[in-house]
């Protein structure tokens, strides 16, 4: 999580907006104990955007990368990040479900999964 996206193969367009919001928020926030972590995250972003491995595989920072930085800056506990990532997507999931049941042709809709057996 944080780099690349299985649907947005070149760049996550939502990440561009979140990147701007993230930078603006960091500029507006007073320096605190999270400043070092934020600086580290931004240094990681710069490094990844210049690294041949990331660039050749089109692994760019995605929306979750910037959202995670914002959550950290706001003081949200790391244990809540996954919950908030899911809450953000609930509207989209609901719309997709609503569209699927409103179609004339009812199909079973299930996410793609590969069962590898009991681990």
């Amino acid at each position: 999580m944080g780099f690349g996206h299985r649907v947005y193969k070149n760049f996550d367009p939502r990440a561009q907006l979140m990147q701007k919001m993230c930078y603006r928020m960091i500029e507006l926030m007073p320096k605190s104990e999270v400043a070092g972590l934020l600086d580290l995250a931004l240094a990681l972003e710069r490094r990844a955007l210049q690294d041949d491995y990331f660039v050749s595989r089109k692994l760019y920072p995605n929306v979750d990368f910037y959202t995670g930085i914002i959550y950290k800056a706001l003081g949200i506990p790391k244990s809540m990040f996954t919950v908030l990532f899911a809450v953000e997507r609930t509207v989209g999931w609901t719309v997709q479900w609503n569209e699927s049941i409103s179609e004339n042709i009812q199909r079973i809709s299930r996410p793609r999964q590969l069962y590898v057996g009991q681990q």
Side-chain angles (χ1 to χ4, degrees):
M1 190 168 11
F3 286 87
H5 194 279
R6 66 182 199 96
V7 175
Y8 303 118
K9 299 296 184 189
N10 293 317
F11 195 81
D12 185 344
R14 305 164 303 165
Q16 292 174 329
L17 174 63
M18 289 305 294
Q19 179 190 44
K20 290 175 187 173
M21 291 175 66
C22 179
Y23 286 176
R24 181 141 194 265
M25 183 175 171
I26 290 170
E27 288 174 9
L28 296 175
M29 289 193 68
K31 294 293 178 190
S32 66
E33 67 274 359
V34 299
L37 291 173
L38 299 177
D39 290 342
L40 177 63
L42 296 178
L44 176 63
E45 173 201 36
R46 283 190 300 274
R47 183 68 181 239
L49 291 174
Q50 297 170 351
D51 187 274
D52 289 337
Y53 178 87
F54 285 86
V55 173
S56 68
R57 289 166 176 78
K58 299 180 181 179
L59 296 174
Y60 301 103
N62 62 29
V63 70
D64 293 331
F65 178 83
Y66 297 108
T67 304
I69 296 170
I70 291 171
Y71 289 166
K72 185 67 177 174
L74 291 172
I76 295 172
K78 192 166 64 171
S79 62
M80 291 298 297
F81 284 18
T82 303
V83 174
L84 291 174
F85 291 150
V87 168
E88 296 164 356
R89 291 161 170 82
T90 303
V91 171
W93 293 337
T94 305
V95 168
Q96 184 179 10
W97 170 80
N98 195 32
E99 287 176 354
S100 72
I101 65 167
S102 66
E103 293 176 355
N104 291 334
I105 301 171
Q106 290 291 318
R107 300 179 287 197
I108 296 175
S109 177
R110 51 177 95 98
R112 293 183 196 172
Q113 297 178 35
L114 178 61
Y115 179 70
V116 294
Q118 191 172 6
Q119 300 276 328

